[in-house]
Amino acid sequence: MMSRYYFIINPVNKTKANSLEIEIHSFFSNRKDDYQISFSNNSIHLKKLTIDAVKQNVDIIIACGGDGTISEIGQVLINTKIKLGIIPIGSGNGISGHFKIPNNFSKALEIIVKGSSKKMDVGKVDNRYFFSNIGFGIEVEFIRHYVQSNIHGLYGYMVSSFRSLFSYKSSFFQIKVENKNISITDVNIEPIEVMHYKLPVLGFKIDGFAYIKDAKTIEESQKKKLNNLDVLVINALRIKEHMSHFNLEEAIELINELKKRGAEDILVVCGGVIPAQDYDFLYDVGVAAIFGPGTSIPDAASSTIDKASEQLMRMHNYRNSRTNN
């Protein structure tokens, strides 16, 4: 049965975009499938192209770009029966990396025409869906600078991160969890630079709470910012050594080092593919909770928030008691 494919290419990287167009024509030259290629001019045009493709009732719409391109096309495809294909040619390709879609155009096209698909979860804030992650506060400021700079890739990330540190002004947030409002305002947000292999990325310290992901190494000057923490969220990708992330042993070493610096009450939670025989070891070294394979993400998030809130409250009461004494 002949399938209908609609390729939407984001031509920000003109070299990759043109090479992909040639590869698509070559790939389908000996196939009987129907295909169409369109180039987007901007996000509004990208949405229009997707709507037009949906009206044509094609079988698969292929997003050729990065996470931003996928997000814009995905907004339109929610609640339709049309499949979303991906060929990664963007500056940020986190979604395609998660699904192990190769950067090689021919191999990516082979996956698409095989017709195999996977379901993915999406989130929704107000009237907009998100497909990989969502940011508030300084992350939004970073994206604003990144879009305005029109500089893509690693250099664009570095420039935008630096500008955000000086332009960001603290925001007021109101979060509703199980019908309970939590307001966050007048908090001290401090960036923490860590290394993701050779790429500098940012974690954040929000008063006594620190959040660090994608870290492999942390310079001493940045570690000092983590003294006297109440809660630390840190990545530990796996037990084996990894090029760009802490493994479990390295994460525990950092935690033990911080405990010696006055952060003895850090709350530690672990998640991922952790062998059951390692659970007792993790509990013995102070892990508060372990979320293994099959754990409901909302349940894990709710449990972690509860434990972090309890920890922050204990430390708040402890400090008040010391002040009163």
Short mmCIF file of all heavy atoms in Angstrom, two decimals, residues 4 6-7 32 40 55 86 102 110 112 116 130 161 179 185 246-247 281:
data_model
loop_
_atom_site.label_atom_id
_atom_site.label_comp_id
_atom_site.label_asym_id
_atom_site.label_seq_id
_atom_site.Cartn_x
_atom_site.Cartn_y
_atom_site.Cartn_z
N ARG A 4 1.82 8.20 2.09
CA ARG A 4 2.01 9.61 1.73
C ARG A 4 2.82 10.29 2.84
O ARG A 4 2.42 10.30 4.01
CB ARG A 4 0.67 10.30 1.54
CG ARG A 4 -0.19 9.66 0.44
CD ARG A 4 -1.51 10.40 0.31
NE ARG A 4 -1.28 11.79 -0.12
CZ ARG A 4 -2.17 12.77 0.05
NH1 ARG A 4 -3.31 12.52 0.68
NH2 ARG A 4 -1.92 13.99 -0.37
N TYR A 6 4.97 13.77 4.16
CA TYR A 6 5.09 15.23 4.00
C TYR A 6 6.27 15.69 4.85
O TYR A 6 6.23 15.64 6.09
CB TYR A 6 3.81 15.92 4.43
CG TYR A 6 3.69 17.36 3.99
CD1 TYR A 6 2.81 17.73 2.97
CD2 TYR A 6 4.45 18.37 4.57
CE1 TYR A 6 2.69 19.05 2.55
CE2 TYR A 6 4.35 19.69 4.16
CZ TYR A 6 3.47 20.03 3.16
OH TYR A 6 3.36 21.34 2.75
N PHE A 7 7.34 16.13 4.21
CA PHE A 7 8.55 16.59 4.90
C PHE A 7 8.51 18.10 5.06
O PHE A 7 8.32 18.83 4.08
CB PHE A 7 9.80 16.20 4.11
CG PHE A 7 10.05 14.73 4.03
CD1 PHE A 7 9.44 13.96 3.05
CD2 PHE A 7 10.91 14.11 4.93
CE1 PHE A 7 9.68 12.60 2.96
CE2 PHE A 7 11.15 12.75 4.86
CZ PHE A 7 10.53 11.99 3.87
N LYS A 32 7.51 3.76 -4.75
CA LYS A 32 6.23 4.19 -5.31
C LYS A 32 5.45 5.10 -4.36
O LYS A 32 4.34 5.53 -4.67
CB LYS A 32 5.39 2.96 -5.66
CG LYS A 32 5.99 2.11 -6.76
CD LYS A 32 5.08 0.93 -7.09
CE LYS A 32 5.68 0.09 -8.22
NZ LYS A 32 4.82 -1.08 -8.55
N SER A 40 10.17 25.74 5.67
CA SER A 40 9.48 26.73 6.49
C SER A 40 10.28 28.04 6.54
O SER A 40 11.52 28.02 6.46
CB SER A 40 9.27 26.20 7.91
OG SER A 40 10.51 25.98 8.56
N LYS A 55 -4.71 18.71 6.37
CA LYS A 55 -5.88 18.78 5.49
C LYS A 55 -5.73 17.83 4.30
O LYS A 55 -6.73 17.33 3.77
CB LYS A 55 -6.07 20.22 5.00
CG LYS A 55 -6.54 21.18 6.09
CD LYS A 55 -6.69 22.59 5.54
CE LYS A 55 -7.17 23.56 6.61
NZ LYS A 55 -7.28 24.95 6.10
N ILE A 86 10.68 12.15 12.48
CA ILE A 86 11.72 13.11 12.85
C ILE A 86 13.02 12.81 12.09
O ILE A 86 13.46 11.66 12.05
CB ILE A 86 12.02 13.07 14.37
CG1 ILE A 86 10.76 13.41 15.18
CG2 ILE A 86 13.16 14.02 14.73
CD1 ILE A 86 10.93 13.19 16.68
N PRO A 102 18.87 8.13 14.24
CA PRO A 102 20.23 8.43 13.78
C PRO A 102 20.32 9.77 13.04
O PRO A 102 19.35 10.22 12.42
CB PRO A 102 20.56 7.26 12.84
CG PRO A 102 19.23 6.74 12.39
CD PRO A 102 18.29 6.96 13.54
N GLU A 110 14.98 5.27 6.50
CA GLU A 110 14.62 3.84 6.56
C GLU A 110 13.68 3.57 7.73
O GLU A 110 12.72 2.80 7.62
CB GLU A 110 15.89 2.99 6.70
CG GLU A 110 16.73 2.90 5.44
CD GLU A 110 16.10 2.01 4.38
OE1 GLU A 110 15.06 1.39 4.65
OE2 GLU A 110 16.65 1.97 3.26
N ILE A 112 11.61 5.69 9.06
CA ILE A 112 10.32 6.32 8.77
C ILE A 112 9.47 5.44 7.86
O ILE A 112 8.28 5.22 8.12
CB ILE A 112 10.54 7.71 8.14
CG1 ILE A 112 11.09 8.68 9.20
CG2 ILE A 112 9.23 8.25 7.56
CD1 ILE A 112 11.59 9.98 8.63
N SER A 116 7.15 1.73 11.80
CA SER A 116 7.07 1.44 13.23
C SER A 116 7.01 2.74 14.00
O SER A 116 7.62 3.74 13.62
CB SER A 116 8.29 0.64 13.67
OG SER A 116 9.49 1.35 13.41
N PHE A 130 3.92 20.71 25.44
CA PHE A 130 5.38 20.58 25.37
C PHE A 130 5.73 19.10 25.30
O PHE A 130 5.04 18.26 25.84
CB PHE A 130 6.07 21.29 26.53
CG PHE A 130 5.72 20.78 27.90
CD1 PHE A 130 6.50 19.81 28.52
CD2 PHE A 130 4.62 21.28 28.58
CE1 PHE A 130 6.18 19.35 29.79
CE2 PHE A 130 4.29 20.83 29.85
CZ PHE A 130 5.08 19.86 30.46
N SER A 161 23.41 32.25 27.58
CA SER A 161 23.51 31.97 29.02
C SER A 161 24.16 33.13 29.75
O SER A 161 23.68 33.56 30.81
CB SER A 161 24.32 30.69 29.25
OG SER A 161 23.68 29.57 28.70
N ASN A 179 -4.70 21.21 44.13
CA ASN A 179 -5.57 22.31 44.57
C ASN A 179 -4.98 23.15 45.70
O ASN A 179 -5.70 23.89 46.36
CB ASN A 179 -6.95 21.77 44.99
CG ASN A 179 -7.69 21.16 43.81
OD1 ASN A 179 -7.64 21.69 42.70
ND2 ASN A 179 -8.36 20.04 44.04
N THR A 185 8.27 33.90 45.61
CA THR A 185 8.66 35.25 45.26
C THR A 185 9.80 35.70 46.16
O THR A 185 10.03 35.14 47.25
CB THR A 185 7.48 36.23 45.39
OG1 THR A 185 7.90 37.51 44.90
CG2 THR A 185 7.02 36.36 46.83
N PHE A 246 27.62 12.35 35.62
CA PHE A 246 28.02 11.61 36.81
C PHE A 246 27.46 10.20 36.73
O PHE A 246 26.31 9.99 36.34
CB PHE A 246 27.45 12.25 38.08
CG PHE A 246 28.16 13.49 38.54
CD1 PHE A 246 27.43 14.61 38.93
CD2 PHE A 246 29.53 13.55 38.59
CE1 PHE A 246 28.06 15.75 39.36
CE2 PHE A 246 30.19 14.69 39.02
CZ PHE A 246 29.45 15.79 39.40
N ASN A 247 28.28 9.21 37.11
CA ASN A 247 27.67 7.92 37.39
C ASN A 247 27.30 7.91 38.87
O ASN A 247 27.50 8.89 39.59
CB ASN A 247 28.60 6.76 37.01
CG ASN A 247 29.88 6.73 37.83
OD1 ASN A 247 30.07 7.55 38.74
ND2 ASN A 247 30.76 5.79 37.54
N PHE A 281 22.34 -0.96 49.56
CA PHE A 281 23.55 -0.15 49.59
C PHE A 281 23.20 1.34 49.51
O PHE A 281 23.75 2.16 50.25
CB PHE A 281 24.46 -0.53 48.42
CG PHE A 281 25.54 0.48 48.13
CD1 PHE A 281 26.65 0.61 48.96
CD2 PHE A 281 25.44 1.32 47.02
CE1 PHE A 281 27.63 1.55 48.69
CE2 PHE A 281 26.41 2.26 46.75
CZ PHE A 281 27.51 2.37 47.59
#
